[in-house]
Each structure stands twice: as structure tokens, then as C-alpha cells.
Amino acid sequence: MTASVPMATTARAMRSEAGRLGGGIGALAVLSLAALSAVPAAAQVPPLPGTSVPASSPSDGIPLGDDIGSGEAAGVSEGGSAAPWAEAGPVRLGTLGFPYTALATPDASTRGWSFTPSLGLELEATDNLYATRRNRKADFITRLQPGLLFTVDTARLQGVFNYQPELELHAAQGSQNGIDHFLNGQLLLTVVPNAVYVDLRGSAGVQAAGGGYAPTVGETGSRRENDVQTSSFQISPYVVHRFGGTATVQAGYALQHVSQSLQDGADVAVTPTGQRYFSNQDFTAHEFYGTVRSGEDFGRLALEGQAVATEYDGTGVLDNAYRRNVSVESRFAINRFFSVLGEVGYEWLRYSGFPPFQVSDTIWSGGARLTFSDESFITARYGHRDGFDSARVDAALTLGGRTRFYANYAERLTTGAQRAADLLTTTTLDELGNPVDTATGAPLAQPFSNSFLGVQSSLTRLRTASASISQDWGRDTFILTVSYERQRPIATEFGTVPTRQSGTSGSLTWAHDLTPFTSAVSYVQYGTLKTPARGSGDVFTASLALVTQLRPGLAATLQYMLTNRSDDFSGGRATQNVILAGLRQTF
């Protein structure tokens, strides 16, 4: 067993130690310290190793600066898996996505394992449990949060597993009692070194079906029957073989399963006017893939061919659906700073629902990458995929020694359940099991624990954009974030009503180390949104929290949070005050 996380990372560690922590301090802490650390985010991510697939390098020694990336929006494959040798910020072994990128075996001196159980207790008092304008109901809530953090780095097994169920008990509103599950895990088993591997991944989280809550704060105020529990798991055996400096071949199979279900036996979510916009979803996917990638013998030119076929057995629009594609990507390094990117291919898509959606069309894209250093880059593409033209931009820049900038823009065709599967294959995990974007190295809020927008059963054309800038001044860290998301339904599950929804949110987080053992974290957020359950509205949230280590292994939190919101169905503004106090003991 291991001791508790050092207090040098107290605020960030509390994200893992407290899970949701009532939707407050945990999310704030990971944003304020994990994203704002003076060490680049990608450098903080420990490897989940497999085999080393070195990036191609030109004969004159000019580094290409990145691996070939997928030209599709959001950097996910047709089957929802990470694009082959997907573009990453700093090209570091262990920070590129699965299953197409093999990862490096760690140095023997770093191998080992740790097993850290913990137990948390949280008390919450609120004057408006459901965050309503009328008929306000006060309540006192007790949460019991056992946890298990397991990390392993041996010759045959590497990874991290963080699981924390949460039992919630209400003093006044007993109908809201229940158990939620929160999980992040990635494990890689080496069957035959440099040849055969098995990758296992899983995630779980809870969000409010109707949306209307600050993106990183959670769904405090949501009725339990309106909460959606999402669970996603994946197992993928794959093989890798390298033909000297000429080429590397990788092939494998991925089995995915995702379920999204409303709590307390409910199976549909309805608008205030009685229209169904979400019903319980699940699918099992079988994905077969193969890639061939050129080696360093090709010098400045890097080529990659891939074939992917994913078959879905699921509910709603994923009933008898499939995504299949073949493509060839290329990258040519003009010099060490500038590379030209291109892609051509063909795809076949099918989704059920009303109306049925099918695509049989070409794939193409073109773009460029500017590489300023290992930690600073800008990649931009424009192309045709999923039946429409779209752009994709990923950027991660170090501006001096204290400032870090992240930005992303993407557009793709997906469902809510597929987004949960995408998280498994487009992220890696930090040492506490928190997801980190493989494209930029930025910390991520899981899409299925983000309650800003609602959950729908439709196939949607999803557009996302985000930008954040952070500064680290030793005892003080700051992060300013702006995000935008738009969902336009393309095909709808029978029995539900499609609704366009969108949201724009901005937040400012400030973390200050009061002592070596105590940190204060403040958070202010404002957003406007349109969702099926709320219509048009806005939400303002402010929070102040203290995190301290009472003794080695024992951490305490105290938080106050104010939420003020309005929407088309409330007839005015609703205010909610929340006070949280928590303890967590690691063993």
C-alpha cells in the first residue's frame, strides 16, 4: 500500500480523492493545478506502454515533429477509436492514442505497483435541493465515498485504475437516495514483447439528462430520476511488427460496450411539455482494424494506410449501424518547423432512426502543422468526412515559462453513447486516473459527467470549440477557459423528439497555496445554453473552497457554492446555496 498523495499536489489530488465531491472542489482542483502546472501537461502523463513505434525522421536529421494524424474531425476513427498514430502535442511515448499507437515499455528502474484504498465522507447542506424558483426544498445530504487507486508499471502490465462509488443519503428527500459510480482505468498487458498486446479500458460517470449546470461543477440540484449513469468498457488485442526502417504493421480487434441509463428505474427523459428527448441507450461494437506505416527510410515523407470496420449492435440509431473506411495519409516535412498534411480515402456509414442515415463517399483532407518545440505546436486541417466538409484545429503553446495555451476546434458525426466510447480511445490518464487529451495534453472534463447540455438519443452533427490560457506563479495558478458546443440532429430514435442544442461558457479559476499543506480554490463561471429540457437559459456559478492535509493520509475540504440560473420554463431566476464539508483518508 502507498501513502497519501504529497501535499505539493493537494488540490489536484483532491480531484481523485473526492471524485465528484458534490460537483465542486474536485473538478476545480484538477483544472486549477493539473492544467496550470509549470510542467507541460503531456509531460505529466505516465506511459501506458506497448511497443515502441518511432516517428519517422528524415535522413538529414530534421525531426518531423509529429506522427501522422487522422484527417477526420476530433481525431477519432470511424469506429470511435483513436486515429492511427494520432497527432499529439509533444510526441512522447505513452501520450498517443490507443489502439493504433503502440506505446513504449518503461525503463526497468521505474517499474512497480501501488494499491491505495481510501474512504471519504462528505456532508452537504443546501437551501434549494432541486434549484427551482418556486417550492424550494432544503435538505442535508451525507455521501460515503470509498475509493481504490491502483497503478502498475511492470515488465508485463502497465496502467492506472481509479474507481469510486458514491452512496448518497438525503435527510429530507429520501427518494433521492442512491449509488453513483465513477471510474477511469487503462491497463496494457504485454503478451509477447514487441509483438502481441491486450489493452483494457473503462470509464463511468453521471450527468444530468436535462443539462443546465456549470460544465465542471456537476449536477448538484438535479433530481435523481433525471441523472444518467454512463459506463463504457473496451478490450482490444493487437499485434505489431516492424520491418526495419521500411514500415510498421499493426492489426487488431476492439470489443466495446457502452450503456447510458437513467437512475431509479426511469427509461425516458421528457421536456416540461411532455416530449421524450432521451431513452436508455446501449451498444456493443466489434471493430477490426489494420494499419501500415512507413519508417525512417522514407526520410521527410511519412505515409500511412489504414482500413477500419466497426459493426454496432445497439439500441436506437445504433441498431444494425456500421462505420467502415479505407484511407491513405501523408506528411511531408518542408523543414523542422513546417509540415504539409494530406489524406485521401473512402467511407461507408449507416445509422438507423428517422430518417435513416447512410453515406458512401470519398474522404479527403489537407492541412499543415507548425512545430515550435516539443511542447508547442499548431495543427490545422480542412477536409471532407462523415458526408460533410469541416475543419479541425489543435494547438498547444508554451508562452514563456509560466503561461500555457490550449485550443481545439472539431466537427463530427456522433451519438451520446459513441462519445463515451471516444473518451476511451482519445485520452490517456494521469497518475490519478484523470483523463488527458492525447491531441494537446490538456486535462479534460469527461463528456458524460458534464451537465452543461442535455443528453439526447439522436445522431447529431457535433461542433465543439474550446480555448484556455493558464499561468503558474508558484503559489498562485490561474486558468481562463471558454468553450462552445453545438448539436444538430441528423437522425432520431423512434419515439423521441430531436432538438438542436448549443451552449457557450466561460470560467475563471484561481488556486492559491496558503501554506505547504493548505490551498484555496476559487471559481467563477457564466454560460448561456439551449437544451430540450430547459429551452433557452443561462447559468452563473461561483465557488470558494479550502483543501488541507490534516495529517499524512488525511485530507479535508470546505466549500461554498452559489448557483443562479434561468430558463424558458422557470419563469424567473432560481438561486441555490450549497455548503460542503468533506474528509478523505487514504490507507
Side-chain angles (χ1 to χ4, degrees):
M1 298 184 183
T2 64
S4 62
V5 178
M7 280 309 297
T9 58
T10 298
R12 180 163 58 92
M14 288 307 297
R15 166 64 166 83
S16 171
E17 292 181 336
R20 257 192 324 167
L21 200 58
I25 183 63
L28 304 186
V30 70
L31 284 173
S32 60
L33 290 186
L36 300 180
S37 174
V39 179
Q44 301 171 13
V45 182
L48 278 174
T51 59
S52 176
V53 182
S56 300
S57 57
S59 57
D60 61 4
I62 299 175
L64 293 183
D66 75 321
D67 290 322
I68 295 178
S70 169
E72 61 195 329
V76 294
S77 78
E78 295 306 310
S81 298
W85 287 281
E87 293 169 0
V91 179
R92 298 178 183 275
L93 299 172
T95 63
L96 309 179
F98 163 82
Y100 300 100
T101 302
L103 307 172
T105 302
D107 183 82
S109 63
T110 65
R111 291 172 181 163
W113 62 275
S114 66
F115 181 80
T116 311
S118 64
L119 182 63
L121 175 65
E122 180 181 284
L123 305 177
E124 174 184 330
T126 177
D127 64 345
N128 191 359
L129 178 63
Y130 302 126
T132 57
R133 180 170 176 262
R134 300 181 180 87
N135 194 26
R136 297 161 59 99
K137 295 183 181 297
D139 205 349
F140 185 84
I141 306 165
T142 301
R143 296 186 181 93
L144 187 64
Q145 303 162 326
L148 172 62
L149 176 63
F150 171 70
T151 63
V152 59
D153 191 356
T154 67
R156 292 287 184 175
L157 185 65
Q158 301 84 33
V160 59
F161 177 91
N162 189 352
Y163 173 56
Q164 183 177 288
E166 181 177 272
L167 172 63
E168 186 171 293
L169 302 173
H170 290 249
Q173 304 296 315
S175 63
Q176 301 303 300
N177 296 343
I179 299 177
D180 296 328
H181 299 273
F182 301 89
L183 166 71
N184 275 316
Q186 297 181 1
L187 296 171
L188 185 68
L189 173 65
T190 301
V191 181
V192 179
N194 300 315
V196 183
Y197 300 88
V198 178
D199 190 295
L200 302 96
R201 302 194 173 205
S203 290
V206 176
Q207 69 190 114
Y213 300 89
T216 58
V217 169
E219 32 62 65
T220 296
S222 173
R223 293 180 181 271
R224 183 166 182 80
E225 57 269 24
N226 190 49
D227 286 349
V228 176
Q229 173 78 64
T230 298
S231 301
S232 56
F233 301 94
Q234 175 175 283
I235 179 171
S236 176
Y238 63 95
V239 297
V240 179
H241 185 74
R242 181 174 174 86
F243 296 91
T246 302
T248 298
V249 176
Q250 184 169 346
Y253 163 75
L255 173 65
Q256 294 179 338
H257 181 75
V258 175
S259 65
Q260 291 186 308
S261 58
L262 289 158
Q263 304 283 53
D264 287 350
D267 58 3
V268 295
V270 298
T271 68
T273 58
Q275 296 176 309
R276 297 171 52 171
Y277 63 88
F278 172 78
S279 63
N280 291 346
Q281 301 288 300
D282 70 81
F283 75 79
T284 298
H286 303 273
E287 179 177 285
F288 298 88
Y289 61 89
T291 65
V292 180
R293 186 194 187 208
S294 62
E296 58 268 24
D297 291 351
F298 284 75
R300 295 172 180 263
L301 177 65
L303 297 170
E304 179 183 273
Q306 68 159 308
V308 184
T310 308
E311 310 295 321
Y312 294 93
D313 178 11
T315 57
V317 296
L318 291 176
D319 179 24
N320 198 31
Y322 60 76
R323 296 179 69 96
R324 306 162 183 164
N325 80 84
V326 292
S327 64
V328 176
E329 298 181 68
S330 65
R331 182 194 66 235
F332 185 78
I334 304 300
N335 54 42
R336 68 176 65 248
F337 304 110
F338 183 76
S339 299
V340 179
L341 312 174
E343 179 190 24
V344 294
Y346 205 86
E347 67 179 349
W348 300 265
L349 312 178
R350 182 189 184 279
Y351 287 89
S352 298
F354 180 80
F357 181 83
Q358 295 190 54
V359 168
S360 179
D361 201 358
T362 57
I363 296 170
W364 61 265
S365 72
R369 178 179 175 103
L370 299 176
T371 304
F372 306 105
S373 69
D374 284 347
E375 284 83 23
S376 296
F377 72 94
I378 301 173
T379 302
R381 294 174 177 269
Y382 186 82
H384 185 81
R385 186 177 284 265
D386 290 342
F388 57 84
D389 296 344
S390 64
R392 175 177 173 84
V393 177
D394 289 298
L397 300 172
T398 299
L399 309 175
R402 297 181 180 273
T403 305
R404 185 74 172 159
F405 174 79
Y406 298 104
N408 171 270
Y409 173 87
E411 196 167 0
R412 68 187 187 273
L413 199 67
T414 190
T415 70
Q418 283 181 308
R419 292 185 73 184
D422 291 346
L423 183 76
L424 296 179
T425 52
T426 60
T427 62
T428 185
L429 300 180
D430 68 12
E431 67 275 15
L432 296 176
N434 301 309
V436 178
D437 184 20
T438 56
T440 63
L444 289 181
Q446 300 178 110
F448 51 80
S449 58
N450 181 335
S451 297
F452 190 53
L453 297 185
V455 185
Q456 295 194 75
S457 304
S458 305
L459 172 68
T460 63
R461 181 171 172 176
L462 174 68
R463 177 182 296 175
T464 58
S466 64
S468 63
I469 188 167
S470 62
Q471 283 196 322
D472 182 354
W473 291 91
R475 294 180 61 186
D476 295 275
T477 52
F478 302 86
I479 183 168
L480 176 65
T481 300
V482 178
S483 62
Y484 169 79
E485 181 172 321
R486 187 192 72 175
Q487 300 178 15
R488 182 164 67 87
I490 301 297
T492 307
E493 180 183 12
F494 289 101
T496 63
V497 177
T499 304
R500 294 192 180 196
Q501 61 174 340
S502 61
T504 303
S505 176
S507 65
L508 175 64
T509 303
W510 172 30
H512 175 69
D513 293 336
L514 299 172
T515 73
F517 301 97
T518 303
S519 297
V521 184
S522 59
Y523 173 85
V524 178
Q525 176 272 344
Y526 177 77
T528 60
L529 65 154
K530 182 178 181 180
T531 71
R534 295 184 178 275
S536 297
D538 67 347
V539 56
F540 167 80
T541 303
S543 172
L544 177 62
L546 295 176
V547 185
T548 187
Q549 179 174 277
L550 301 177
R551 58 180 174 81
L554 180 62
T557 63
L558 180 64
Q559 179 188 10
Y560 168 75
M561 182 167 59
L562 167 69
T563 300
N564 185 279
R565 64 169 53 87
S566 70
D567 56 59
D568 290 340
F569 300 108
S570 297
R573 303 198 67 85
T575 300
Q576 179 189 42
N577 294 279
V578 174
I579 297 176
L580 296 168
L583 290 173
R584 177 160 292 273
Q585 174 70 58
T586 58
F587 303 97

